[in-house]
């Protein structure tokens, strides 16, 4: 299956392999621009991006952000690609992170956590390092 995944050669050495997710009410072009930015943040953090999924919804699911059926599709895609984490473009509540983690059994973070991880890795002083 690894041969069927585009770019799998560059993914092998990466620590984390992620699928980027966006659940948005914004126009598609704005959601895509935001996902491009998230892809760059992930690259900066050393995370290999395997796939990105944008779902546009009128109302956000309070538990999973996206619909439960779409979450199941994401789980299947993650298994196919060998993803180790999901990165959401939107801010997630602790309850949403817990619900999604329990359903997918993958590490789940949002854009804010990814940015904090980048700052923590680049911090020089003890005060700047968050552990």
């Amino acid at each position: 299956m690894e041969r069927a995944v585009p770019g799998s050669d560059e993914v092998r050495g990466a620590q984390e392999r992620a699928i980027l997710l966006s659940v948005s009410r914004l126009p598609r072009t704005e959601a895509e621009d935001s996902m491009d930015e998230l892809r760059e943040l992930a690259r900066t953090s050393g995370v290999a991006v395997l796939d990105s999924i944008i779902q546009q919804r009128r109302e956000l699911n309070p538990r999973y952000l996206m619909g439960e059926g779409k979450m199941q599709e994401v789980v299947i895609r993650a298994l196919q690609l060998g993803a180790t984490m999901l990165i959401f473009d939107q801010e997630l509540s602790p309850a949403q992170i817990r619900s999604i983690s329990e359903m997918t059994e993958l590490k789940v973070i949002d854009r804010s956590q990814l940015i904090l991880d980048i700052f923590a890795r680049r911090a020089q002083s003890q005060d700047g390092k968050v552990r």
Side-chain angles (χ1 to χ4, degrees):
M1 185 169 345
E2 188 173 319
R3 287 186 215 146
V5 178
S8 61
D9 291 337
E10 49 190 65
V11 170
R12 279 191 204 122
Q15 293 176 350
E16 296 279 1
R17 297 175 308 280
I19 294 177
L20 306 181
L21 300 163
S22 176
V23 183
S24 178
R25 290 182 245 172
L26 297 173
R28 183 118 185 134
T29 54
E30 288 182 38
E32 288 172 355
D33 289 344
S34 185
M35 285 293 275
D36 290 341
E37 186 180 298
L38 187 64
R39 182 182 309 275
E40 281 303 308
L41 288 169
R43 186 190 60 76
T44 301
S45 183
V47 174
V49 176
L50 302 174
D51 198 2
S52 61
I53 299 169
I54 297 174
Q55 183 184 40
Q56 296 197 262
R57 292 183 58 102
R58 289 186 190 159
E59 293 183 29
L60 303 179
N61 181 316
R63 188 167 186 185
Y64 300 115
L65 206 58
M66 58 179 46
E68 194 170 341
K70 189 66 170 181
M71 271 313 311
Q72 291 172 351
E73 288 178 28
V74 168
V75 170
I76 292 168
R77 186 74 178 142
L79 290 171
Q80 289 171 338
L81 298 176
T84 59
M85 72 186 308
L86 301 176
I87 303 175
F88 280 81
D89 196 23
Q90 287 71 30
E91 194 82 24
L92 298 174
S93 71
Q96 287 171 325
I97 292 173
R98 187 174 47 255
S99 294
I100 296 167
S101 295
E102 287 172 359
M103 180 181 198
T104 64
E105 296 182 8
L106 297 170
K107 181 178 177 182
V108 177
I109 64 171
D110 59 17
R111 175 185 282 266
S112 299
Q113 185 61 50
L114 182 61
I115 292 169
L116 290 172
D117 288 349
I118 292 168
F119 281 122
R121 286 186 182 164
R122 294 181 178 213
Q124 298 297 318
S125 70
Q126 277 296 54
D127 292 335
K129 293 182 181 181
V130 180
R131 292 185 186 222

